[in-house]
Amino acid sequence: MVISPGWCLILEVKNLTGELIFNNNPPQLICIKEENKIAYRSPESQLDQYLFGLSKFFEQHQLKVPIHGAISLPFTNAIIKTPPSKYPLLLGRAVINHIWSLPKKDIIPSKQVADLVLQHNAAPSWNQFPLSRYYGIDPADIQRGVECPHCGAIPMKRLKRTWFCEKCKKRHMQAHVKALKDYYM
Ligand SMILES: [Zn+2]
């Protein structure tokens, strides 16, 4: 989110490459890469929701703030088969030109808006419920690290873009997901 004295801009940033198709009906983003087709949530309907929520938020605080939305792709090597219809799509550094193209006005207390947004955006304090204490387990007895989805060995070794199991010699790119889920539990 960019806050200026004239407007707020919400950027929905997608780190995607390959061929991209922005569909409206049903709202979906299709990404085709190396013969794989993956469907994502539509960035346009995401932006619709963010803009709606933010305008309600400003209304509640008696603030009149023009809100803009755009979809941003940091990588310029994506191939756009069908562009989005409702919001501008900004590739790479085009985001800078887009910001320059927005009205230059001094109509909102941008500092106050920023403080208000930050204040309401604070994450709830994390309740770290220690299961080790609950179950009477000495944390030193816990094997730490990423578990191998193939053989269960801990820890896997981090290589470039993947995890490697020194026991069964297999690789798994998503092996950390389970460790993160365990952590949040
Ligand atoms: Zn293994």
Side-chain angles (χ1 to χ4, degrees):
M1 184 172 166
V2 182
I3 301 169
S4 91
W7 39 258
C8 283
L9 169 67
I10 299 181
L11 291 168
E12 184 52 41
V13 182
K14 296 286 174 211
N15 292 304
L16 296 172
T17 57
E19 288 179 27
L20 302 179
I21 302 160
F22 292 82
N23 281 343
N24 262 331
N25 193 18
Q28 259 187 339
L29 168 59
I30 316 278
C31 175
I32 306 168
K33 203 168 150 188
E34 289 153 17
E35 285 166 33
N36 287 321
K37 244 186 200 184
I38 309 166
Y40 293 98
R41 225 178 121 194
S42 158
E44 291 187 274
S45 53
Q46 271 177 283
L47 275 173
D48 281 342
Q49 288 167 13
Y50 299 153
L51 266 69
F52 178 78
L54 197 60
S55 64
K56 289 281 153 207
F57 175 79
F58 287 145
E59 238 171 65
Q60 282 165 9
H61 292 89
Q62 281 90 42
L63 285 164
K64 276 212 169 85
V65 183
I67 311 169
H68 301 274
I71 301 160
S72 160
L73 296 178
F75 303 117
T76 45
N77 55 354
I79 298 157
I80 313 302
K81 284 254 173 167
T82 313
S85 50
K86 212 171 156 186
Y87 296 99
L89 176 65
L90 312 170
L91 299 177
R93 297 177 62 83
V95 66
I96 297 167
N97 303 54
H98 184 72
I99 286 173
W100 285 338
S101 77
L102 293 172
K104 287 170 196 64
K105 285 181 186 161
D106 200 349
I107 51 170
I108 62 168
S110 48
K111 173 82 174 76
Q112 189 196 333
V113 170
D115 288 344
L116 190 69
V117 170
L118 284 175
Q119 196 187 317
H120 283 79
N121 195 35
S125 58
W126 184 248
N127 178 18
Q128 290 198 25
F129 182 65
L131 283 177
S132 53
R133 200 184 301 157
Y134 184 79
Y135 286 115
I137 298 168
D138 185 344
D141 291 338
I142 297 173
Q143 275 187 292
R144 289 157 193 248
V146 169
E147 183 184 352
C148 172
H150 307 290
C151 75
I154 295 173
M156 294 187 94
K157 206 177 159 187
R158 183 68 187 164
L159 299 180
K160 203 179 174 187
R161 304 182 71 178
T162 193
W163 295 93
F164 174 70
C165 175
E166 292 189 307
K167 200 172 163 205
C168 72
K169 311 287 177 204
K170 285 183 185 160
R171 286 158 199 253
H172 200 286
M173 277 176 83
Q174 303 294 328
H176 58 280
V177 173
K178 190 173 168 285
L180 289 172
K181 283 182 179 164
D182 288 348
Y183 173 76
Y184 281 106
M185 192 140 108

